[in-house]
Amino acid sequence: MDSIRQEKVQRFEEFVDRRLKPDLARAIAERDKVFEQQKVFSDLKKNIENLEKNSVTSLRTLVNLGSEVYMQADVPDTRRIFVDIGLGFHVEFTWSEALNYIAAREEKLARFAKGLGNYSNCPKRGLTKGGLMYDRVTNLLIELMPKFQPLLCQHLHQEE
């Protein structure tokens, strides 16, 4: 009986190490990318609102060329801006068009981040309720819990 229990525990530990931990790491990295995108859009929105509020028609700024190398740039007309919409594409917007686009993207990113924040949706493939992997993990935990409960209680009493 002990060898069967040990085999099941080992299989579960392997499953956690090989499947759940990498899935969780990928989900956290994906969530962090979404949070960074939200910050970029929030900063862009604040900058556009500042330009509108202060009626700025031209400006001088530093542009990051990459690898933290900056170059001074003169912008003669700030009424139109280019916004990175993804996949290397940039669209020229007026301030109001850019704010509308940013609002739509922020809403979409917020919905996506909300889905990533829920632990059961984090590793989306296989761990959603009703999914095969979710059922396997649940069944294994249900099967192992009664067997390990005395050991867990004993361990907890030793710590006290």
Side-chain angles (χ1 to χ4, degrees), residues 19-52:
R19 178 65 183 188
L20 295 182
K21 284 182 181 179
D23 280 354
L24 184 58
R26 277 191 298 274
I28 290 171
E30 193 172 338
R31 184 197 63 193
D32 290 346
K33 278 196 273 186
V34 170
F35 289 160
E36 180 152 337
Q37 286 179 339
Q38 285 177 319
K39 184 182 179 338
V40 167
F41 281 113
S42 175
D43 290 347
L44 179 59
K45 181 180 177 181
K46 287 176 190 172
N47 287 335
I48 293 170
E49 289 169 347
N50 282 336
L51 289 172
E52 281 182 327

Side-chain angles (χ1 to χ4, degrees), residues 15 120 126-139:
F15 172 74
S120 66
L127 282 182
T128 55
K129 283 194 175 181
L132 181 61
M133 296 307 263
Y134 180 88
D135 293 341
R136 285 184 181 170
V137 170
T138 303
N139 290 339

Side-chain angles (χ1 to χ4, degrees), residues 10-159:
Q10 185 174 356
R11 280 195 337 225
F12 181 71
E13 287 174 348
E14 287 174 4
F15 172 74
V16 168
D17 289 339
R18 291 186 183 166
R19 178 65 183 188
L20 295 182
K21 284 182 181 179
D23 280 354
L24 184 58
R26 277 191 298 274
I28 290 171
E30 193 172 338
R31 184 197 63 193
D32 290 346
K33 278 196 273 186
V34 170
F35 289 160
E36 180 152 337
Q37 286 179 339
Q38 285 177 319
K39 184 182 179 338
V40 167
F41 281 113
S42 175
D43 290 347
L44 179 59
K45 181 180 177 181
K46 287 176 190 172
N47 287 335
I48 293 170
E49 289 169 347
N50 282 336
L51 289 172
E52 281 182 327
K53 185 175 90 175
N54 297 322
S55 301
V56 176
T57 57
S58 65
L59 63 92
R60 177 174 275 180
T61 186
L62 291 175
V63 177
N64 187 350
L65 299 176
S67 300
E68 300 303 314
V69 175
Y70 291 87
M71 181 176 174
Q72 193 169 16
D74 289 318
V75 182
D77 183 14
T78 61
R79 293 175 293 172
R80 301 186 76 71
I81 62 171
F82 285 89
V83 178
D84 182 356
I85 61 168
L87 299 175
F89 291 101
H90 294 76
V91 175
E92 185 177 3
F93 286 123
T94 63
W95 291 342
S96 61
E97 291 170 339
L99 290 173
N100 290 338
Y101 174 75
I102 291 168
R105 280 299 299 264
E106 285 179 328
E107 181 182 327
K108 182 179 178 182
L109 288 170
R111 281 195 318 266
F112 191 67
K114 184 179 178 185
L116 288 174
N118 184 350
Y119 179 77
S120 66
N121 291 336
C122 225
K124 286 194 180 273
R125 295 165 303 281
L127 282 182
T128 55
K129 283 194 175 181
L132 181 61
M133 296 307 263
Y134 180 88
D135 293 341
R136 285 184 181 170
V137 170
T138 303
N139 290 339
L140 186 59
L141 288 174
I142 289 171
E143 186 178 326
L144 291 175
M145 216 34 146
K147 295 174 184 171
F148 286 107
Q149 189 172 2
L151 295 173
L152 181 60
C153 290
Q154 182 182 12
H155 178 72
L156 291 174
H157 288 298
Q158 287 175 354
E159 288 182 352

